[in-house]
Amino acid sequence: MLFSKAALALGLFPLVFSHPLEKRQNALPTINSANDEAVAQLALYLEHLELSLYSGGFENFTDAQYTAAGFPPGFRENVGVIADHEKTHSDTLTTILANAGKTPVPPCTYKFPYTDPVSFVDLANMITSVGIGAYLGGGALLTDDPELLTAASSIVTVEARHDAYLRAGVGASPFPTAFDTALTSLFAYNLAQMFIVSCPQQLNITILPKLTLASPMPPPNLQPPTPAGTPLKLTFDPSSFFVKVDPNAPLYIGLINMVTNVTFIETTSCGSGCVTAPVPQGAAGAAFALLTTFNGGLNENQLSDYGALAGPAEVVLS
């Protein structure tokens, strides 16, 4: 029996070696257009941010602090693994840009408003949702470059796993929605600005007037979900608008969420630079609010191109 198996194996050798072995190519994708560079630079900008965030979450707290806050054993170690992933992402994007003769955007100086392991994880969920949204939105600009699109897709799936792990650790659903929310480069870049102290080099993307969510704040474990009809209170500085707006003109919140894209909600004034708007039916997960004078008829790209007065503000609903 042993002889027959050996003979069979030897008989197959000519078949195996009659075809050349496939060679796996390890070359990184290339930058072939201005769109490619813009997407890669924004991705790197956000990866630098996430690397700083997760490095701090690992370095600033001990295993005992995570355990005392209710996280499972090994959670801090996995935060460190996530930081390692973000460094790999940053290094890879840096190399892709440098290989194309482009100057990779450098890291900024950041400030993150967390004080303990739970507030760190809540913040990480918010920031990672922005990163996921940026990769999803950027993918539409890479349809003529399948290799770079594949590379970006391979990063966003890992980012989603990071977020699911963090959410489960804090006691929230690891998958609160059936769809994630794509973001334009303008909106993703502006959402990152709230954590930027200074940058040696900014990207060539407009910084919009600020829109701030005053209430409600998500609970520490992101549960229970914020119910439809809950008033969102948002503040802004009317003097910062890029266009003149009639003080008596109605204002709306364009809420970007999942694949429903934009839901327009009429606001109620709560004073100068303050409005409220109810959470619409079906909104969940991470949503992004823009202040606008339009009451509908715009998709996210149009709102990004010319329809936003201020924002976006991230609204974590579940």
Side-chain angles (χ1 to χ4, degrees), residues 94-226:
T94 295
T95 301
I96 290 172
L97 286 160
N99 286 350
K102 310 299 181 183
T103 301
V105 64
C108 301
T109 300
Y110 310 101
K111 183 177 181 180
F112 300 111
Y114 62 79
T115 57
D116 53 52
V118 172
S119 60
F120 159 72
V121 171
D122 289 346
L123 181 63
N125 169 64
M126 293 180 67
I127 291 177
T128 304
S129 295
V130 172
I132 290 169
Y135 276 109
L136 291 175
L141 302 176
L142 299 177
T143 53
D144 61 342
D145 195 334
E147 289 186 355
L148 195 58
L149 177 59
T150 297
S153 300
S154 70
I155 291 176
V156 73
T157 53
V158 174
E159 298 283 351
R161 292 189 187 100
H162 294 167
D163 194 41
Y165 178 76
L166 293 168
R167 291 179 58 89
V170 83
S173 169
F175 31 74
T177 58
F179 302 95
D180 283 316
T181 301
L183 291 168
T184 66
S185 58
L186 176 71
F187 293 158
Y189 185 70
N190 274 267
L191 284 158
Q193 297 311 305
M194 69 181 73
F195 310 109
I196 305 295
V197 176
S198 62
C199 284
Q201 175 191 334
Q202 285 280 27
L203 299 180
N204 187 26
I205 299 176
T206 301
I207 296 179
L208 297 172
K210 188 176 180 180
L211 182 68
T212 301
L213 178 68
S215 66
M217 294 295 103
N221 63 352
L222 306 178
Q223 295 292 330
T226 303

Side-chain angles (χ1 to χ4, degrees), residues 15-23:
L15 296 176
V16 172
F17 287 103
S18 64
H19 299 284
L21 294 176
E22 292 184 2
K23 293 184 179 180

Side-chain angles (χ1 to χ4, degrees), residues 250-255 262-266 292-300 302-303 306-307:
L251 296 176
Y252 300 85
I253 291 298
L255 195 70
V262 186
T263 301
F264 290 85
I265 314 154
E266 187 168 5
T292 181
T293 55
F294 290 86
N295 64 356
L298 301 184
N299 60 30
E300 182 182 345
Q302 292 167 325
L303 194 59
Y306 59 83

Side-chain angles (χ1 to χ4, degrees), residues 233-270:
K233 183 178 180 180
L234 299 127
T235 60
F236 53 91
D237 178 5
S239 69
S240 67
F241 293 162
F242 294 161
V243 296
K244 186 175 181 180
V245 178
D246 183 343
N248 298 315
L251 296 176
Y252 300 85
I253 291 298
L255 195 70
I256 304 167
N257 187 228
M258 296 187 280
V259 293
T260 56
N261 211 294
V262 186
T263 301
F264 290 85
I265 314 154
E266 187 168 5
T267 67
T268 300
S269 175
C270 49

